[in-house]
Amino acid sequence: MSHLRIATYNLLHGQPLAADGSPDPYPADAGAPLGEAVADLDADVLALQEVDRYQERSGCVDQAAVAAKAMGAADWRFAAALHGTPAPLSGWLPDPDLPGLQVYGPAEVDTATGQPSYGTALLTRLPVRHWRARRFAPAPFGLPLKVAGRRGLTPVPDEPRAAIAAVLEGSEGPFTVVAAHLSFVPGWNVAQLAGIRRWIADLPQPYLVLGDFNLIGAVPRTVLGSAAAIERTTSRERVRNARQARTGLRRRRTREPRPRLQGWYDLARTPTYPSHRPAVQFDHILGIGVPRTAVGSVSAPRTAVSDHRPLVVDVRI
């Protein structure tokens, strides 16, 4: 089995931060701090959230391309949840000409139009069999949140989110990795995570789901387990209904045993936010079909970029 380093990292659009968590100015080479942080992770598979592409605030850098070069990625995709520019109070000023999901990769680096966008990326050193991406609509309301560089709480509207799935070629066969950034609105993020589980149900296991879920504790693994149970129940319903249709017989309704929630677990449990003094874990690496004995070292190293720490796991898969 291959020894792989799997990581997830919310970039805060590559924002450099001081030791106390306050924003530092971008250097002349705006992508340099991000490139150094990613190179230090030495990840084989890396999920990135809050990624800018050609945004003025982050030096008009294609951050997914910078990160891919820094880690030596063989392939990567950036899913733009939205095109437009950030606005201080309204969240985003969207580009009406590009309202939906757009996916970029190595082929678009030299042919890019320069339209500013923002979203989620998945980068890998492994061969890729298949890519898939989806967009989640924002919640209809936001929340007051702590924002880096501002005192107190700031009303923040929700924003569109994106997820990317890749079927990777491992030494023991294919496996599926998902990079996701979920809403900070309670309930809305739970529905998005359950939707991801159903969205990848036709892809090969093992599964690894990485990202900033804005959920803590046992909630993410419980949600994924529940989604799997619903899927199993639905499959049994379809089989039973098909049999009844073929025979034309109405069978007495019987109570089926409740499906067991099993399999999904956290590969790493450690605080990741805020980066200068971690207290909670919003960033997760969840798996199913990966033996617990295959999980090695876990770390959340401090970097000079972002208000989140990256979450890194060494695993045999």
PDB file of all heavy atoms in Angstrom, residues 239-251:
ATOM      1  N   VAL A 239     -35.799  -2.199  -4.520  1.00  0.00           N
ATOM      2  CA  VAL A 239     -35.806  -3.633  -4.794  1.00  0.00           C
ATOM      3  C   VAL A 239     -37.154  -4.232  -4.425  1.00  0.00           C
ATOM      4  O   VAL A 239     -37.744  -5.008  -5.188  1.00  0.00           O
ATOM      5  CB  VAL A 239     -34.659  -4.334  -4.036  1.00  0.00           C
ATOM      6  CG1 VAL A 239     -34.807  -5.848  -4.136  1.00  0.00           C
ATOM      7  CG2 VAL A 239     -33.315  -3.892  -4.587  1.00  0.00           C
ATOM      8  N   ARG A 240     -37.658  -3.874  -3.258  1.00  0.00           N
ATOM      9  CA  ARG A 240     -38.932  -4.419  -2.811  1.00  0.00           C
ATOM     10  C   ARG A 240     -40.073  -4.006  -3.734  1.00  0.00           C
ATOM     11  O   ARG A 240     -40.933  -4.822  -4.111  1.00  0.00           O
ATOM     12  CB  ARG A 240     -39.220  -3.964  -1.379  1.00  0.00           C
ATOM     13  CG  ARG A 240     -40.473  -4.622  -0.794  1.00  0.00           C
ATOM     14  CD  ARG A 240     -40.635  -4.319   0.693  1.00  0.00           C
ATOM     15  NE  ARG A 240     -40.820  -2.906   0.936  1.00  0.00           N
ATOM     16  CZ  ARG A 240     -39.920  -2.129   1.537  1.00  0.00           C
ATOM     17  NH1 ARG A 240     -38.762  -2.620   1.911  1.00  0.00           N
ATOM     18  NH2 ARG A 240     -40.160  -0.851   1.746  1.00  0.00           N
ATOM     19  N   ASN A 241     -40.088  -2.726  -4.152  1.00  0.00           N
ATOM     20  CA  ASN A 241     -41.155  -2.252  -5.035  1.00  0.00           C
ATOM     21  C   ASN A 241     -41.090  -2.933  -6.398  1.00  0.00           C
ATOM     22  O   ASN A 241     -42.116  -3.238  -7.006  1.00  0.00           O
ATOM     23  CB  ASN A 241     -41.052  -0.736  -5.205  1.00  0.00           C
ATOM     24  CG  ASN A 241     -41.387   0.009  -3.930  1.00  0.00           C
ATOM     25  OD1 ASN A 241     -42.048  -0.544  -3.040  1.00  0.00           O
ATOM     26  ND2 ASN A 241     -40.944   1.249  -3.811  1.00  0.00           N
ATOM     27  N   ALA A 242     -39.848  -3.169  -6.886  1.00  0.00           N
ATOM     28  CA  ALA A 242     -39.706  -3.850  -8.180  1.00  0.00           C
ATOM     29  C   ALA A 242     -40.245  -5.271  -8.104  1.00  0.00           C
ATOM     30  O   ALA A 242     -40.903  -5.753  -9.041  1.00  0.00           O
ATOM     31  CB  ALA A 242     -38.236  -3.850  -8.599  1.00  0.00           C
ATOM     32  N   ARG A 243     -39.987  -5.960  -7.008  1.00  0.00           N
ATOM     33  CA  ARG A 243     -40.485  -7.333  -6.850  1.00  0.00           C
ATOM     34  C   ARG A 243     -42.002  -7.352  -6.801  1.00  0.00           C
ATOM     35  O   ARG A 243     -42.651  -8.210  -7.402  1.00  0.00           O
ATOM     36  CB  ARG A 243     -39.905  -7.948  -5.584  1.00  0.00           C
ATOM     37  CG  ARG A 243     -38.421  -8.313  -5.700  1.00  0.00           C
ATOM     38  CD  ARG A 243     -37.881  -8.765  -4.373  1.00  0.00           C
ATOM     39  NE  ARG A 243     -36.483  -9.174  -4.474  1.00  0.00           N
ATOM     40  CZ  ARG A 243     -35.712  -9.428  -3.431  1.00  0.00           C
ATOM     41  NH1 ARG A 243     -36.203  -9.308  -2.189  1.00  0.00           N
ATOM     42  NH2 ARG A 243     -34.451  -9.788  -3.608  1.00  0.00           N
ATOM     43  N   GLN A 244     -42.578  -6.400  -6.089  1.00  0.00           N
ATOM     44  CA  GLN A 244     -44.038  -6.347  -6.004  1.00  0.00           C
ATOM     45  C   GLN A 244     -44.661  -6.075  -7.364  1.00  0.00           C
ATOM     46  O   GLN A 244     -45.697  -6.638  -7.715  1.00  0.00           O
ATOM     47  CB  GLN A 244     -44.449  -5.271  -5.003  1.00  0.00           C
ATOM     48  CG  GLN A 244     -44.136  -5.639  -3.556  1.00  0.00           C
ATOM     49  CD  GLN A 244     -44.512  -4.524  -2.596  1.00  0.00           C
ATOM     50  OE1 GLN A 244     -44.803  -3.410  -3.020  1.00  0.00           O
ATOM     51  NE2 GLN A 244     -44.503  -4.818  -1.314  1.00  0.00           N
ATOM     52  N   ALA A 245     -43.990  -5.209  -8.154  1.00  0.00           N
ATOM     53  CA  ALA A 245     -44.532  -4.900  -9.479  1.00  0.00           C
ATOM     54  C   ALA A 245     -44.495  -6.123 -10.387  1.00  0.00           C
ATOM     55  O   ALA A 245     -45.412  -6.337 -11.194  1.00  0.00           O
ATOM     56  CB  ALA A 245     -43.729  -3.757 -10.099  1.00  0.00           C
ATOM     57  N   ARG A 246     -43.430  -6.932 -10.267  1.00  0.00           N
ATOM     58  CA  ARG A 246     -43.324  -8.119 -11.125  1.00  0.00           C
ATOM     59  C   ARG A 246     -44.351  -9.173 -10.764  1.00  0.00           C
ATOM     60  O   ARG A 246     -44.920  -9.830 -11.628  1.00  0.00           O
ATOM     61  CB  ARG A 246     -41.906  -8.711 -11.020  1.00  0.00           C
ATOM     62  CG  ARG A 246     -40.841  -7.912 -11.771  1.00  0.00           C
ATOM     63  CD  ARG A 246     -39.587  -8.746 -11.961  1.00  0.00           C
ATOM     64  NE  ARG A 246     -39.028  -9.189 -10.690  1.00  0.00           N
ATOM     65  CZ  ARG A 246     -38.100  -8.536 -10.017  1.00  0.00           C
ATOM     66  NH1 ARG A 246     -37.647  -7.375 -10.496  1.00  0.00           N
ATOM     67  NH2 ARG A 246     -37.631  -9.002  -8.875  1.00  0.00           N
ATOM     68  N   THR A 247     -44.579  -9.363  -9.491  1.00  0.00           N
ATOM     69  CA  THR A 247     -45.486 -10.436  -9.075  1.00  0.00           C
ATOM     70  C   THR A 247     -46.928  -9.992  -9.025  1.00  0.00           C
ATOM     71  O   THR A 247     -47.838 -10.814  -9.077  1.00  0.00           O
ATOM     72  CB  THR A 247     -45.080 -10.943  -7.681  1.00  0.00           C
ATOM     73  OG1 THR A 247     -45.170  -9.863  -6.743  1.00  0.00           O
ATOM     74  CG2 THR A 247     -43.658 -11.476  -7.694  1.00  0.00           C
ATOM     75  N   GLY A 248     -47.146  -8.679  -8.940  1.00  0.00           N
ATOM     76  CA  GLY A 248     -48.515  -8.188  -8.848  1.00  0.00           C
ATOM     77  C   GLY A 248     -49.149  -8.465  -7.509  1.00  0.00           C
ATOM     78  O   GLY A 248     -50.376  -8.348  -7.364  1.00  0.00           O
ATOM     79  N   LEU A 249     -48.354  -8.860  -6.515  1.00  0.00           N
ATOM     80  CA  LEU A 249     -48.882  -9.178  -5.197  1.00  0.00           C
ATOM     81  C   LEU A 249     -48.592  -8.053  -4.231  1.00  0.00           C
ATOM     82  O   LEU A 249     -47.527  -7.438  -4.260  1.00  0.00           O
ATOM     83  CB  LEU A 249     -48.235 -10.473  -4.668  1.00  0.00           C
ATOM     84  CG  LEU A 249     -48.478 -11.731  -5.498  1.00  0.00           C
ATOM     85  CD1 LEU A 249     -47.690 -12.882  -4.885  1.00  0.00           C
ATOM     86  CD2 LEU A 249     -49.965 -12.056  -5.551  1.00  0.00           C
ATOM     87  N   ARG A 250     -49.544  -7.819  -3.388  1.00  0.00           N
ATOM     88  CA  ARG A 250     -49.345  -6.834  -2.332  1.00  0.00           C
ATOM     89  C   ARG A 250     -48.956  -7.572  -1.057  1.00  0.00           C
ATOM     90  O   ARG A 250     -49.733  -8.341  -0.497  1.00  0.00           O
ATOM     91  CB  ARG A 250     -50.625  -6.030  -2.099  1.00  0.00           C
ATOM     92  CG  ARG A 250     -51.064  -5.235  -3.317  1.00  0.00           C
ATOM     93  CD  ARG A 250     -52.161  -4.253  -2.967  1.00  0.00           C
ATOM     94  NE  ARG A 250     -51.680  -3.291  -1.998  1.00  0.00           N
ATOM     95  CZ  ARG A 250     -52.427  -2.288  -1.514  1.00  0.00           C
ATOM     96  NH1 ARG A 250     -53.680  -2.171  -1.918  1.00  0.00           N
ATOM     97  NH2 ARG A 250     -51.932  -1.454  -0.643  1.00  0.00           N
ATOM     98  N   ARG A 251     -47.767  -7.336  -0.639  1.00  0.00           N
ATOM     99  CA  ARG A 251     -47.280  -8.014   0.550  1.00  0.00           C
ATOM    100  C   ARG A 251     -47.621  -7.224   1.801  1.00  0.00           C
ATOM    101  O   ARG A 251     -47.755  -6.004   1.769  1.00  0.00           O
ATOM    102  CB  ARG A 251     -45.766  -8.208   0.464  1.00  0.00           C
ATOM    103  CG  ARG A 251     -45.346  -9.067  -0.736  1.00  0.00           C
ATOM    104  CD  ARG A 251     -43.847  -9.255  -0.749  1.00  0.00           C
ATOM    105  NE  ARG A 251     -43.437 -10.085  -1.872  1.00  0.00           N
ATOM    106  CZ  ARG A 251     -42.175 -10.378  -2.130  1.00  0.00           C
ATOM    107  NH1 ARG A 251     -41.211  -9.917  -1.365  1.00  0.00           N
ATOM    108  NH2 ARG A 251     -41.877 -11.146  -3.174  1.00  0.00           N
TER     109      ARG A 251
END
